[in-house]
Amino acid sequence: LVASLVIGERFDDLATLCVAKLKKRDSAHARLLLAKAYERTQNYTKVLEALEPAQRRFPDDFLINLATAAALLRQGTDDASFARAAQLIGRAEKAAGNSPTPDQMVNLLVARGLLFALLDQSEAARANLQRVLEADPSREDVREVLKLIQ
């Protein structure tokens, strides 16, 4: 059912399904799926509303921490939001451990790069984003961000 809703781009229906699942059993996966459904409908306030309880319930979950940080970076405009995002990126890094997977490493570098860019720390932002391109040269989104901060 979930796959058919995603393939059909029925994200409002996906959000409804996730809310129903969460009423029965709260899980990190269901929260992430709900946040993604809200993101696809551009309801960014709801993204944070879906992730904040998950972050409290699953504080050591890599994806929950990184997704919450990304949502804060997307919506945040103040130092408190950026400080919280930095804290969550640090938690995600800790959750990844000493040997993060290549995907985890790329996701951490992107998050750090965006955080530094938003804090006007261009050198640090470029360094992190360049490392992403070294690991995955196909990341056009990262190339676009690099153009904006140079």
Side-chain angles (χ1 to χ4, degrees):
L1 180 59
V2 170
S4 67
L5 293 174
V6 171
I7 291 168
E9 296 186 13
R10 295 173 47 201
F11 298 108
D12 287 325
D13 292 336
L14 179 59
T16 301
L17 176 67
C18 290
V19 168
K21 282 185 171 207
L22 287 167
K23 286 180 181 176
K24 292 180 184 176
R25 183 174 158 263
D26 199 350
S27 71
H29 182 264
R31 289 271 175 194
L32 285 166
L33 197 55
L34 177 60
K36 192 64 171 171
Y38 287 143
E39 179 187 45
R40 294 300 296 254
T41 60
Q42 299 182 346
N43 191 339
Y44 300 114
T45 302
K46 291 272 192 182
V47 171
L48 269 175
E49 287 176 13
L51 290 171
E52 286 289 355
Q55 201 285 314
R56 286 189 298 276
R57 181 141 191 248
F58 309 102
D60 299 322
D61 186 281
F62 176 82
L63 289 175
I64 292 290
N65 282 304
L66 208 57
T68 308
L72 286 166
L73 291 175
R74 177 179 287 270
Q75 283 194 258
T77 56
D78 60 355
D79 290 341
S81 294
F82 296 143
R84 177 107 167 94
Q87 177 189 38
L88 292 168
I89 293 167
R91 282 188 182 176
E93 192 169 5
K94 184 178 176 184
N98 293 330
S99 301
T101 67
D103 278 350
Q104 287 175 325
M105 183 47 84
V106 165
N107 287 327
L108 286 166
L109 289 167
V110 168
R112 275 194 246 135
L114 293 174
L115 174 64
F116 288 133
L118 290 168
L119 293 173
D120 291 325
Q121 296 179 18
S122 299
E123 293 285 323
R126 275 194 294 278
N128 279 275
L129 295 173
Q130 280 300 128
R131 287 184 59 200
V132 171
L133 291 178
E134 290 167 14
D136 184 358
S138 69
R139 294 289 302 257
E140 289 303 318
D141 58 333
V142 171
R143 288 184 198 287
E144 291 298 317
V145 173
L146 279 168
K147 286 179 189 175
L148 292 172
I149 60 175
Q150 289 190 22

